[in-house]
Amino acid sequence: MSAIPAKRDLVLGIETSCDETAAAVVRRGEPGFGASVLSNIIASQNDLHAEYKGVVPEIASRAHAERILPIVRAALTQSGLSLKDLGAVAVGNKPGLIGSLLVGVAAAKALAWSLRIPVIGVDHVRAHLYAGCLDAPLPAFPALGLVVSGGHTSLYHCPSLTRATRLGGTIDDAAGEAYDKAATILGLPFPGGPNLDRLAQRGDASHAPVRFPISRLGRDSLDFSFSGLKTAVLYAVRGVPSRPGEPQPPPPDLDDRARADLAAAFQKAAIGAVTLKLGRALDRHPECRTLLVGGGVTANSLLRSELTRMGAERGLDVRLPKMAYCLDNAAMIAGLAHHLLDARGWTTDPLTMTAEPTTAF
Ligand code: KG4
Ligand code: ZN
């Protein structure tokens, strides 16, 4: 038996950084294992933002305020536990939409204060890298990290579960953002990423009328750029703008087949850009035998198969998160919090802990 009191085995996680209101209860893993998920409740706001084809911050924060307590209650019920069983409350406090983050931070602080247990703010991007360790053996370090989400596309060198150095990242749009914008251009409903992925699986990139560019940004760059790809999709769908004085050419006539082929060509270029830079980073860091990946785009069918292929080719332990832990969730927040709390002796963050829209991570 562990000498650590049982209460310290149970952490409630809260996540409200964008448009998912989420709560989860996780238990300390057995020695050598990541945290074990007892409950994982996620309330999506897709229906509220669909008509705007993007997340409206004011609507998101209002919905979080309405939903946070029922969602926490549902997470406790699903875990079979009650508030008095908890050893700490963890909350994603950065980065994200400030109004959305504030709802989760206020709820976490109030719960922790009333229960007299520690509260800890957790970096959302760092937590995405932990998602593949939930309910799984802990991996070997150092590891290479890849976060691909709606807000981030970054590579990291991770000496341990709780430390990471950024190697590169996007200089404009994130991969998920490019997916969402390309989906809107192709006339697909919100949320764009998963719908474009589904359409792409019915298409054939080699039949598309254009080959989309993969931005390399120099031979040694570990940065990403997706804005050129997004513009190329716009031109392929609406036609290339005319030069001054010349007549505007009509947009190409796109039937369902042609849209599916364009979606497949976009998917090939977007995921190709991610795997190109990941390959470069792995070449530069051969000491990394583990690949930690996370973020909404890791739910993508082509990225998942490419990562599995790269892992087999290079003999890597690839930590692809289960689908439920790819998108924003609170299990990854509470899971990482266990390790952060252990490292600092379960001290609490002060009640002045704030929400922060950006991260230095
Ligand atoms: O991690 P996440 O839930 O939120 C952020 O932290 O940003 O990621 C959401 C992003 C959205 O841009 C969404 O379109 C994208 O992940 N996404 C996908 C897929 N599923 C979600 N992109 C491509 N293919 C998918 N299957
Ligand atoms: Zn996220």
Side-chain angles (χ1 to χ4, degrees), residues 35-125:
S36 135
V37 181
L38 302 183
S39 64
N40 186 36
I41 305 285
I42 304 172
S44 155
Q45 299 179 8
N46 284 345
D47 52 334
L48 299 180
H49 302 288
E51 74 172 286
Y52 307 100
K53 299 198 185 294
V55 176
V56 182
E58 285 306 318
I59 294 177
S61 40
R62 183 177 293 257
H64 285 308
E66 286 166 4
R67 295 172 184 193
I68 186 67
L69 292 181
I71 293 298
V72 166
R73 213 171 283 129
L76 284 166
T77 305
Q78 192 180 69
S79 71
L81 297 164
S82 64
L83 285 171
K84 66 176 177 14
D85 298 316
L86 299 173
V89 183
V91 58
N93 73 325
K94 64 172 177 257
L97 300 171
I98 189 67
S100 291
L101 287 165
L102 278 169
V103 176
V105 168
K109 288 200 286 195
L111 276 170
W113 178 80
S114 65
L115 296 166
R116 304 287 186 268
I117 57 176
V119 62
I120 179 169
V122 175
D123 187 299
H124 174 96
V125 182

Coordinates of all heavy atoms in Angstrom, one line a residue, residues 35-125:
A35 N -2.5 8.3 -14.5 CA -3.7 8.4 -13.7 C -4.9 7.6 -14.4 O -4.9 7.4 -15.6 CB -4.2 9.8 -13.6
S36 N -5.8 7.1 -13.5 CA -6.8 6.2 -14.0 C -8.1 7.0 -13.9 O -8.5 7.7 -12.9 CB -6.8 5.0 -13.2 OG -8.0 4.6 -12.8
V37 N -8.9 7.0 -15.0 CA -10.0 7.9 -15.2 C -11.3 7.2 -14.6 O -11.7 6.2 -15.1 CB -10.3 8.3 -16.7 CG1 -11.5 9.2 -16.8 CG2 -9.0 8.9 -17.3
L38 N -11.9 7.9 -13.6 CA -13.1 7.3 -13.0 C -14.3 7.9 -13.6 O -15.4 7.3 -13.6 CB -13.1 7.6 -11.5 CG -11.9 7.0 -10.7 CD1 -12.1 7.3 -9.2 CD2 -11.7 5.6 -10.9
S39 N -14.2 9.1 -14.1 CA -15.4 9.7 -14.8 C -14.8 10.8 -15.7 O -13.8 11.4 -15.5 CB -16.4 10.3 -13.8 OG -15.8 11.4 -13.1
N40 N -15.5 11.1 -16.8 CA -15.1 12.0 -17.8 C -16.3 12.6 -18.5 O -16.9 12.0 -19.4 CB -14.2 11.4 -18.8 CG -13.5 12.3 -19.8 OD1 -13.2 13.5 -19.4 ND2 -13.4 11.9 -21.1
I41 N -16.8 13.8 -18.1 CA -18.0 14.4 -18.6 C -17.7 15.6 -19.4 O -16.9 16.5 -19.0 CB -19.0 14.8 -17.4 CG1 -19.2 13.6 -16.5 CG2 -20.3 15.4 -18.0 CD1 -20.2 12.6 -17.0
I42 N -18.2 15.6 -20.7 CA -17.9 16.8 -21.6 C -19.2 17.3 -22.1 O -19.9 16.5 -22.8 CB -16.9 16.3 -22.7 CG1 -15.6 15.7 -22.2 CG2 -16.6 17.5 -23.6 CD1 -14.7 15.1 -23.2
A43 N -19.5 18.5 -21.9 CA -20.7 19.1 -22.5 C -20.2 20.0 -23.7 O -19.6 21.1 -23.4 CB -21.5 19.9 -21.5
S44 N -20.5 19.6 -24.9 CA -20.1 20.4 -26.1 C -21.1 21.6 -26.3 O -22.2 21.4 -26.0 CB -20.0 19.5 -27.3 OG -20.2 20.3 -28.4
Q45 N -20.5 22.7 -26.8 CA -21.4 23.8 -27.1 C -21.6 23.9 -28.6 O -22.0 25.0 -29.1 CB -20.8 25.1 -26.6 CG -20.6 25.1 -25.0 CD -20.0 26.4 -24.6 OE1 -19.8 27.4 -25.3 NE2 -19.7 26.5 -23.3
N46 N -21.3 22.9 -29.4 CA -21.4 23.0 -30.8 C -22.7 23.6 -31.3 O -22.7 24.4 -32.2 CB -21.2 21.6 -31.5 CG -19.7 21.2 -31.4 OD1 -18.8 22.0 -31.2 ND2 -19.5 19.9 -31.7
D47 N -23.8 23.1 -30.7 CA -25.1 23.6 -31.2 C -25.3 25.1 -31.0 O -25.9 25.8 -31.8 CB -26.2 22.9 -30.4 CG -26.1 22.9 -28.9 OD1 -24.9 23.1 -28.4 OD2 -27.1 22.9 -28.2
L48 N -24.6 25.7 -30.0 CA -24.8 27.1 -29.7 C -23.9 28.0 -30.7 O -24.3 29.1 -30.9 CB -24.3 27.5 -28.3 CG -25.0 26.8 -27.1 CD1 -24.4 27.2 -25.8 CD2 -26.5 27.2 -27.2
H49 N -22.8 27.4 -31.2 CA -21.9 28.2 -32.0 C -22.1 27.9 -33.5 O -21.5 28.6 -34.4 CB -20.5 28.0 -31.6 CG -20.2 28.3 -30.2 ND1 -20.2 29.6 -29.7 CD2 -20.0 27.5 -29.1 CE1 -19.9 29.6 -28.4 NE2 -19.8 28.3 -28.0
A50 N -22.9 26.9 -33.9 CA -23.0 26.4 -35.2 C -23.4 27.5 -36.2 O -22.8 27.7 -37.3 CB -23.9 25.2 -35.3
E51 N -24.4 28.3 -35.8 CA -24.9 29.3 -36.8 C -23.9 30.4 -37.1 O -23.9 31.1 -38.1 CB -26.2 29.9 -36.3 CG -26.2 30.9 -35.2 CD -27.5 31.6 -35.0 OE1 -27.9 32.5 -35.8 OE2 -28.2 31.3 -34.0
Y52 N -22.9 30.6 -36.2 CA -21.8 31.6 -36.4 C -20.6 31.0 -37.1 O -19.6 31.7 -37.3 CB -21.5 32.2 -35.1 CG -22.7 32.8 -34.3 CD1 -23.2 32.1 -33.3 CD2 -23.3 34.0 -34.7 CE1 -24.4 32.5 -32.6 CE2 -24.4 34.4 -34.1 CZ -24.9 33.7 -33.0 OH -26.1 34.2 -32.4
K53 N -20.6 29.7 -37.2 CA -19.5 28.9 -37.8 C -18.1 29.2 -37.1 O -17.1 29.2 -37.7 CB -19.3 29.3 -39.3 CG -20.5 28.9 -40.1 CD -20.2 28.8 -41.6 CE -21.4 28.6 -42.5 NZ -22.0 27.3 -42.2
G54 N -18.2 29.4 -35.8 CA -17.0 29.6 -35.0 C -17.5 29.9 -33.6 O -18.7 30.2 -33.3
V55 N -16.5 29.8 -32.6 CA -16.9 30.0 -31.2 C -17.1 31.5 -30.9 O -16.2 32.3 -31.2 CB -15.8 29.4 -30.3 CG1 -16.1 29.7 -28.8 CG2 -15.6 27.9 -30.6
V56 N -18.2 31.9 -30.3 CA -18.5 33.3 -29.9 C -18.1 33.4 -28.4 O -18.8 32.7 -27.6 CB -19.9 33.7 -30.2 CG1 -20.2 35.1 -29.8 CG2 -20.3 33.4 -31.6
P57 N -17.1 34.1 -28.1 CA -16.6 34.1 -26.7 C -17.7 34.4 -25.6 O -17.7 33.7 -24.6 CB -15.5 35.1 -26.7 CG -15.0 35.1 -28.1 CD -16.2 34.9 -29.0
E58 N -18.5 35.4 -25.9 CA -19.5 35.7 -24.9 C -20.6 34.6 -24.7 O -21.0 34.3 -23.5 CB -20.3 37.0 -25.3 CG -19.4 38.3 -25.1 CD -18.9 38.4 -23.7 OE1 -19.7 38.1 -22.7 OE2 -17.7 38.7 -23.5
I59 N -20.9 34.0 -25.8 CA -21.9 32.8 -25.7 C -21.2 31.7 -24.9 O -21.8 31.0 -24.1 CB -22.4 32.4 -27.1 CG1 -23.2 33.5 -27.7 CG2 -23.1 31.1 -27.0 CD1 -23.6 33.2 -29.1
A60 N -19.9 31.5 -25.2 CA -19.2 30.4 -24.6 C -19.2 30.6 -23.1 O -19.5 29.6 -22.3 CB -17.8 30.2 -25.1
S61 N -18.8 31.8 -22.6 CA -18.6 31.9 -21.2 C -20.0 31.9 -20.4 O -20.1 31.3 -19.3 CB -17.9 33.2 -20.8 OG -18.2 34.3 -21.6
R62 N -21.0 32.4 -21.1 CA -22.3 32.3 -20.4 C -22.8 30.8 -20.3 O -23.3 30.4 -19.3 CB -23.4 33.0 -21.3 CG -24.8 33.1 -20.7 CD -25.7 33.9 -21.6 NE -25.2 35.3 -21.6 CZ -25.9 36.3 -20.9 NH1 -26.9 36.0 -20.1 NH2 -25.5 37.5 -20.9
A63 N -22.5 30.0 -21.4 CA -22.9 28.6 -21.3 C -22.1 27.9 -20.2 O -22.6 27.0 -19.5 CB -22.7 27.9 -22.7
H64 N -20.8 28.2 -20.1 CA -20.0 27.6 -19.1 C -20.6 27.8 -17.7 O -20.7 27.0 -16.8 CB -18.6 28.1 -19.1 CG -17.7 27.6 -20.2 ND1 -17.6 26.2 -20.5 CD2 -16.9 28.2 -21.1 CE1 -16.7 26.1 -21.5 NE2 -16.4 27.3 -21.9
A65 N -21.0 29.1 -17.5 CA -21.5 29.5 -16.2 C -22.8 28.7 -15.8 O -23.0 28.3 -14.7 CB -21.8 31.0 -16.1
E66 N -23.6 28.5 -16.9 CA -24.9 27.7 -16.6 C -24.6 26.3 -16.4 O -25.3 25.6 -15.6 CB -25.8 27.9 -17.9 CG -26.4 29.2 -18.0 CD -27.0 29.5 -19.4 OE1 -27.0 28.5 -20.2 OE2 -27.5 30.6 -19.6
R67 N -23.5 25.7 -17.0 CA -23.4 24.3 -17.0 C -22.4 23.7 -16.0 O -22.4 22.5 -15.7 CB -22.9 23.8 -18.4 CG -23.9 24.1 -19.5 CD -23.4 23.8 -20.9 NE -24.4 24.2 -21.8 CZ -24.4 23.9 -23.1 NH1 -23.3 23.2 -23.6 NH2 -25.3 24.2 -23.9
I68 N -21.5 24.6 -15.5 CA -20.3 24.0 -14.8 C -20.8 23.2 -13.5 O -20.2 22.1 -13.3 CB -19.3 25.2 -14.4 CG1 -18.1 24.6 -13.7 CG2 -19.9 26.2 -13.4 CD1 -17.2 23.8 -14.7
L69 N -21.7 23.7 -12.8 CA -22.1 22.9 -11.6 C -22.8 21.6 -11.9 O -22.4 20.5 -11.3 CB -22.9 23.8 -10.6 CG -22.1 24.9 -10.0 CD1 -22.9 25.7 -9.0 CD2 -20.8 24.4 -9.3
P70 N -23.8 21.6 -12.8 CA -24.3 20.3 -13.2 C -23.3 19.3 -13.8 O -23.3 18.1 -13.5 CB -25.3 20.6 -14.3 CG -25.7 22.0 -14.1 CD -24.5 22.7 -13.4
I71 N -22.3 19.8 -14.5 CA -21.2 19.0 -15.1 C -20.3 18.4 -14.0 O -20.0 17.2 -14.0 CB -20.4 19.7 -16.1 CG1 -21.3 20.1 -17.3 CG2 -19.2 19.0 -16.6 CD1 -21.8 18.9 -18.1
V72 N -20.0 19.2 -13.0 CA -19.2 18.7 -11.9 C -20.0 17.6 -11.1 O -19.4 16.6 -10.8 CB -18.8 19.9 -10.9 CG1 -18.3 19.3 -9.6 CG2 -17.7 20.8 -11.6
R73 N -21.2 17.9 -10.9 CA -22.1 16.9 -10.2 C -22.1 15.6 -11.0 O -22.0 14.5 -10.4 CB -23.5 17.5 -10.0 CG -24.2 17.1 -8.8 CD -25.5 17.8 -8.5 NE -25.3 19.2 -8.1 CZ -25.9 20.3 -8.6 NH1 -26.7 20.2 -9.7 NH2 -25.7 21.5 -8.1
A74 N -22.3 15.7 -12.3 CA -22.4 14.5 -13.1 C -21.0 13.7 -13.0 O -21.1 12.5 -13.0 CB -22.7 14.9 -14.6
A75 N -19.9 14.4 -13.0 CA -18.6 13.8 -12.9 C -18.5 13.0 -11.6 O -18.0 11.9 -11.5 CB -17.5 14.8 -13.1
L76 N -19.0 13.6 -10.5 CA -18.9 13.0 -9.2 C -19.8 11.7 -9.2 O -19.4 10.7 -8.8 CB -19.3 13.9 -8.1 CG -18.2 15.0 -7.7 CD1 -18.8 16.1 -6.9 CD2 -17.1 14.3 -7.0
T77 N -21.0 11.9 -9.7 CA -22.0 10.8 -9.8 C -21.4 9.6 -10.6 O -21.4 8.5 -10.1 CB -23.3 11.3 -10.4 OG1 -23.8 12.4 -9.6 CG2 -24.4 10.2 -10.3
Q78 N -20.8 9.9 -11.7 CA -20.3 8.9 -12.6 C -19.1 8.1 -11.9 O -19.0 6.9 -12.1 CB -19.8 9.4 -13.9 CG -19.5 8.4 -15.0 CD -19.1 9.0 -16.3 OE1 -18.0 9.5 -16.4 NE2 -19.9 8.9 -17.3
S79 N -18.4 8.9 -11.1 CA -17.2 8.2 -10.4 C -17.7 7.5 -9.1 O -16.9 6.7 -8.6 CB -16.2 9.3 -10.0 OG -16.7 10.1 -8.9
G80 N -18.9 7.7 -8.7 CA -19.4 7.0 -7.5 C -18.8 7.7 -6.2 O -18.9 7.1 -5.1
L81 N -18.3 8.9 -6.3 CA -17.7 9.5 -5.2 C -18.5 10.8 -4.8 O -19.4 11.2 -5.5 CB -16.2 9.9 -5.5 CG -15.3 8.7 -5.8 CD1 -14.1 9.2 -6.5 CD2 -15.0 8.0 -4.5
S82 N -18.1 11.4 -3.7 CA -18.7 12.7 -3.3 C -17.6 13.7 -3.0 O -16.4 13.3 -3.0 CB -19.6 12.5 -2.1 OG -18.8 12.1 -1.0
L83 N -18.0 14.9 -2.9 CA -17.0 16.0 -2.7 C -16.0 15.7 -1.6 O -14.8 16.0 -1.7 CB -17.7 17.3 -2.5 CG -18.4 18.0 -3.7 CD1 -19.3 19.2 -3.2 CD2 -17.4 18.4 -4.7
K84 N -16.5 15.1 -0.5 CA -15.6 14.9 0.6 C -14.5 13.9 0.4 O -13.5 13.9 1.1 CB -16.4 14.6 1.9 CG -17.1 13.3 1.8 CD -17.8 13.0 3.2 CE -18.6 11.7 3.1 NZ -18.4 10.7 2.1
D85 N -14.6 13.1 -0.7 CA -13.6 12.1 -1.0 C -12.4 12.8 -1.7 O -11.3 12.2 -1.8 CB -14.1 11.1 -1.9 CG -15.3 10.3 -1.3 OD1 -15.1 9.9 -0.1 OD2 -16.3 10.0 -1.9
L86 N -12.6 14.0 -2.2 CA -11.5 14.6 -3.1 C -10.3 15.1 -2.3 O -10.4 15.6 -1.2 CB -12.1 15.8 -3.9 CG -13.3 15.5 -4.8 CD1 -13.9 16.7 -5.4 CD2 -12.8 14.5 -5.9
G87 N -9.1 14.9 -3.0 CA -7.9 15.4 -2.4 C -7.4 16.7 -2.9 O -6.6 17.4 -2.3
A88 N -7.9 17.1 -4.1 CA -7.5 18.4 -4.7 C -8.5 18.7 -5.9 O -9.1 17.8 -6.4 CB -6.1 18.3 -5.2
V89 N -8.5 19.9 -6.3 CA -9.2 20.4 -7.5 C -8.2 21.0 -8.4 O -7.4 21.8 -8.1 CB -10.3 21.4 -7.2 CG1 -11.1 21.7 -8.4 CG2 -11.3 20.9 -6.1
A90 N -8.2 20.5 -9.7 CA -7.3 21.0 -10.7 C -8.1 21.7 -11.8 O -9.2 21.2 -12.1 CB -6.5 19.8 -11.4
V91 N -7.6 22.8 -12.3 CA -8.4 23.5 -13.3 C -7.5 24.0 -14.4 O -6.3 24.5 -14.2 CB -9.2 24.7 -12.7 CG1 -8.2 25.7 -12.0 CG2 -10.0 25.4 -13.7
G92 N -7.9 23.9 -15.7 CA -7.2 24.4 -16.8 C -7.3 26.0 -16.7 O -8.4 26.5 -16.9
N93 N -6.2 26.6 -16.3 CA -6.3 28.1 -16.1 C -5.6 28.9 -17.2 O -5.6 30.1 -17.2 CB -5.8 28.5 -14.7 CG -4.3 28.4 -14.6 OD1 -3.6 27.5 -15.2 ND2 -3.7 29.3 -13.8
K94 N -5.0 28.2 -18.2 CA -4.4 28.9 -19.3 C -3.9 27.9 -20.4 O -3.7 26.7 -20.0 CB -3.1 29.7 -18.9 CG -2.0 28.8 -18.3 CD -0.7 29.6 -18.1 CE 0.3 28.8 -17.5 NZ 0.6 28.9 -16.1
P95 N -3.8 28.2 -21.6 CA -4.3 29.4 -22.3 C -5.8 29.2 -22.7 O -6.3 28.1 -22.6 CB -3.4 29.6 -23.5 CG -3.1 28.1 -23.9 CD -3.1 27.3 -22.6
G96 N -6.4 30.2 -23.2 CA -7.8 30.1 -23.7 C -8.5 31.4 -23.8 O -7.9 32.5 -23.6
L97 N -9.9 31.3 -23.9 CA -10.7 32.5 -23.9 C -10.8 33.0 -22.5 O -11.2 32.2 -21.6 CB -12.1 32.2 -24.5 CG -12.1 31.7 -25.9 CD1 -13.5 31.2 -26.3 CD2 -11.6 32.7 -26.9
I98 N -10.6 34.2 -22.2 CA -10.5 34.7 -20.8 C -11.8 34.5 -20.1 O -11.8 34.0 -18.9 CB -9.9 36.1 -20.7 CG1 -9.6 36.5 -19.3 CG2 -10.9 37.1 -21.3 CD1 -8.5 35.7 -18.7
G99 N -12.9 34.8 -20.7 CA -14.2 34.7 -20.0 C -14.5 33.3 -19.7 O -15.1 32.9 -18.7
S100 N -14.2 32.4 -20.6 CA -14.4 30.9 -20.5 C -13.6 30.4 -19.3 O -14.0 29.7 -18.4 CB -14.1 30.2 -21.7 OG -15.1 30.5 -22.7
L101 N -12.3 30.7 -19.4 CA -11.3 30.2 -18.3 C -11.8 30.7 -16.9 O -11.7 29.9 -16.0 CB -9.9 30.8 -18.6 CG -9.1 30.2 -19.8 CD1 -7.9 31.1 -20.1 CD2 -8.6 28.8 -19.4
L102 N -12.3 31.9 -16.9 CA -12.6 32.5 -15.5 C -13.7 31.7 -14.9 O -13.7 31.6 -13.6 CB -13.1 34.0 -15.7 CG -11.9 35.0 -15.8 CD1 -12.5 36.4 -16.2 CD2 -11.2 35.1 -14.4
V103 N -14.6 31.1 -15.6 CA -15.7 30.4 -15.0 C -15.2 29.1 -14.3 O -15.5 28.8 -13.2 CB -16.8 30.0 -16.1 CG1 -17.8 29.1 -15.5 CG2 -17.4 31.2 -16.7
G104 N -14.3 28.4 -15.0 CA -13.7 27.2 -14.5 C -12.8 27.5 -13.3 O -12.8 26.9 -12.2
V105 N -12.0 28.6 -13.4 CA -11.1 29.0 -12.3 C -11.9 29.4 -11.0 O -11.6 28.9 -9.9 CB -10.2 30.1 -12.7 CG1 -9.4 30.7 -11.5 CG2 -9.2 29.6 -13.8
A106 N -13.0 30.1 -11.2 CA -13.8 30.6 -10.1 C -14.4 29.4 -9.4 O -14.5 29.2 -8.2 CB -14.9 31.6 -10.5
A107 N -15.0 28.4 -10.2 CA -15.6 27.2 -9.7 C -14.6 26.4 -8.9 O -14.9 25.9 -7.8 CB -16.2 26.4 -10.8
A108 N -13.4 26.2 -9.5 CA -12.4 25.4 -8.8 C -11.9 26.0 -7.5 O -11.8 25.3 -6.5 CB -11.2 25.2 -9.8
K109 N -11.7 27.3 -7.5 CA -11.2 27.9 -6.3 C -12.3 27.8 -5.2 O -12.0 27.6 -4.0 CB -10.9 29.4 -6.6 CG -9.6 29.5 -7.4 CD -8.9 30.9 -7.3 CE -9.6 31.9 -8.0 NZ -8.8 33.2 -8.2
A110 N -13.6 28.1 -5.6 CA -14.6 28.0 -4.6 C -14.8 26.6 -4.0 O -14.9 26.5 -2.8 CB -16.0 28.5 -5.2
L111 N -14.7 25.6 -4.9 CA -14.9 24.2 -4.4 C -13.7 23.9 -3.4 O -13.9 23.3 -2.3 CB -14.9 23.3 -5.5 CG -16.2 23.0 -6.2 CD1 -16.0 22.2 -7.5 CD2 -17.2 22.3 -5.3
A112 N -12.5 24.2 -3.9 CA -11.3 23.8 -3.1 C -11.3 24.6 -1.7 O -11.0 24.0 -0.7 CB -10.0 24.1 -3.8
W113 N -11.7 25.8 -1.8 CA -11.7 26.6 -0.5 C -12.8 26.0 0.4 O -12.5 25.9 1.6 CB -12.0 28.1 -0.8 CG -12.1 28.9 0.4 CD1 -11.1 29.5 1.1 CD2 -13.3 29.3 1.1 NE1 -11.6 30.1 2.2 CE2 -12.9 30.1 2.2 CE3 -14.7 29.1 0.9 CZ2 -13.9 30.6 3.1 CZ3 -15.6 29.6 1.8 CH2 -15.2 30.3 2.9
S114 N -13.9 25.7 -0.1 CA -15.0 25.2 0.8 C -14.7 23.8 1.4 O -15.1 23.5 2.4 CB -16.3 25.2 0.1 OG -16.3 24.3 -1.0
L115 N -13.9 23.1 0.6 CA -13.5 21.7 1.1 C -12.2 21.7 1.8 O -11.8 20.6 2.3 CB -13.4 20.8 -0.2 CG -14.7 20.5 -0.9 CD1 -14.4 19.9 -2.3 CD2 -15.7 19.7 -0.1
R116 N -11.5 22.8 1.9 CA -10.2 22.9 2.5 C -9.2 22.0 1.9 O -8.5 21.2 2.6 CB -10.3 22.7 4.1 CG -11.3 23.5 4.8 CD -10.7 25.0 4.9 NE -11.6 25.8 5.8 CZ -12.5 26.6 5.3 NH1 -12.8 26.7 4.0 NH2 -13.2 27.3 6.1
I117 N -9.2 21.9 0.6 CA -8.2 21.1 -0.1 C -7.4 21.9 -1.1 O -7.9 23.0 -1.5 CB -8.8 19.9 -0.8 CG1 -9.9 20.3 -1.8 CG2 -9.4 18.9 0.2 CD1 -10.6 19.2 -2.6
P118 N -6.3 21.5 -1.6 CA -5.5 22.3 -2.6 C -6.2 22.5 -3.9 O -7.0 21.6 -4.4 CB -4.2 21.5 -2.8 CG -4.2 20.5 -1.7 CD -5.6 20.2 -1.3
V119 N -6.0 23.7 -4.5 CA -6.4 23.9 -5.9 C -5.2 24.1 -6.7 O -4.2 24.7 -6.2 CB -7.4 25.2 -6.0 CG1 -6.7 26.5 -5.5 CG2 -7.9 25.3 -7.4
I120 N -5.2 23.7 -7.9 CA -4.0 23.8 -8.8 C -4.4 24.2 -10.2 O -5.3 23.6 -10.8 CB -3.1 22.6 -8.8 CG1 -1.8 22.8 -9.7 CG2 -3.8 21.3 -9.2 CD1 -0.8 21.7 -9.5
G121 N -3.7 25.3 -10.7 CA -3.9 25.7 -12.1 C -3.0 24.9 -13.0 O -1.8 24.7 -12.7
V122 N -3.6 24.3 -14.1 CA -2.8 23.5 -15.0 C -2.8 24.1 -16.4 O -3.9 24.5 -16.9 CB -3.4 22.0 -15.0 CG1 -2.8 21.2 -16.1 CG2 -3.4 21.4 -13.6
D123 N -1.7 24.0 -17.1 CA -1.6 24.5 -18.5 C -2.3 23.5 -19.4 O -1.9 22.4 -19.5 CB -0.1 24.7 -18.8 CG 0.1 25.3 -20.2 OD1 -0.4 24.8 -21.2 OD2 0.7 26.4 -20.2
H124 N -3.3 24.0 -20.1 CA -4.1 23.2 -21.0 C -3.3 22.5 -22.1 O -3.5 21.3 -22.4 CB -5.1 24.2 -21.6 CG -6.0 23.6 -22.7 ND1 -7.3 23.1 -22.4 CD2 -5.8 23.4 -24.0 CE1 -7.8 22.6 -23.5 NE2 -7.0 22.8 -24.5
V125 N -2.3 23.2 -22.7 CA -1.5 22.6 -23.8 C -0.6 21.5 -23.2 O -0.5 20.4 -23.8 CB -0.6 23.7 -24.4 CG1 0.1 23.1 -25.6 CG2 -1.5 24.9 -24.9

